């Protein structure tokens, strides 16, 4: 709680990831000073990983529709041919992250 309070005061946004390299566990990907820069960092990572028109992109949120809409807007600028969906974040994640958490998911279309 103390670390989270200090990070909040300093406007540090932890960027977490879960993928094959984490063995299914959530891991810290980066720590960034503002929300907008955090989204920009994730957009860069998606591009570096080769996300293209063959992927679906979702923005999940825990009672943070305002940030979800901003995130969708930034993603739409970076990936103009995608239909980006906004969905609620599952409650088990929200319990750990708190409200106003944003998750970005990119999955290869089947």
């Amino acid at each position: 709680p103390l670390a989270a309070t200090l990070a909040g005061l300093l406007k540090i946004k932890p960027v977490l990831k879960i993928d094959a390299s984490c063995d299914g566990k959530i891991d810290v990907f980066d720590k960034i000073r503002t929300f907008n820069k955090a989204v920009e960092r994730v957009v860069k990572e998606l591009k570096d990983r080769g996300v293209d028109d063959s992927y679906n992109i979702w923005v999940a949120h825990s009672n943070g529709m305002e940030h979800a809409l901003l995130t969708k807007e930034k993603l739409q600028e970076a990936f103009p041919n995608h239909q980006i969906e906004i969905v609620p974040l599952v409650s088990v994640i929200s319990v750990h992250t708190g409200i106003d958490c944003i998750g970005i998911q990119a999955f290869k279309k089947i």
Side-chain angles (χ1 to χ4, degrees), residues 66-86:
E66 183 178 333
H67 278 127
L69 290 169
L70 290 172
T71 302
K72 179 180 178 180
E73 184 179 309
K74 289 197 175 287
L75 287 165
Q76 202 70 71
E77 289 171 10
F79 302 100
N81 297 326
H82 283 76
Q83 180 177 342
I84 298 166
E85 300 292 328
I86 295 178

Side-chain angles (χ1 to χ4, degrees), residues 4 15 23 34 39 44 49 51-52 56-57 61 67 69 76 79-80 89 93 95-96 107:
V15 179
D23 292 325
T34 68
V39 173
K44 180 185 180 316
R49 288 182 178 219
V51 171
D52 58 19
N56 290 315
I57 300 176
H61 70 96
H67 278 127
L69 290 169
Q76 202 70 71
F79 302 100
L89 193 61
I93 301 295
V95 166
H96 293 285
F107 290 101

Side-chain angles (χ1 to χ4, degrees), residues 35-54:
F35 178 79
N36 286 332
K37 288 180 183 177
V39 173
E40 289 169 10
R41 178 66 180 96
V42 172
V43 166
K44 180 185 180 316
E45 179 65 16
L46 291 174
K47 287 184 174 188
D48 290 349
R49 288 182 178 219
V51 171
D52 58 19
D53 292 345
S54 65

Side-chain angles (χ1 to χ4, degrees), residues 17-34:
K17 70 175 182 173
I18 183 168
D19 61 14
S21 71
C22 304
D23 292 325
K25 298 176 185 170
I26 296 174
D27 195 12
V28 175
F29 175 68
D30 209 343
K31 295 174 188 168
I32 304 195
R33 288 280 319 240
T34 68

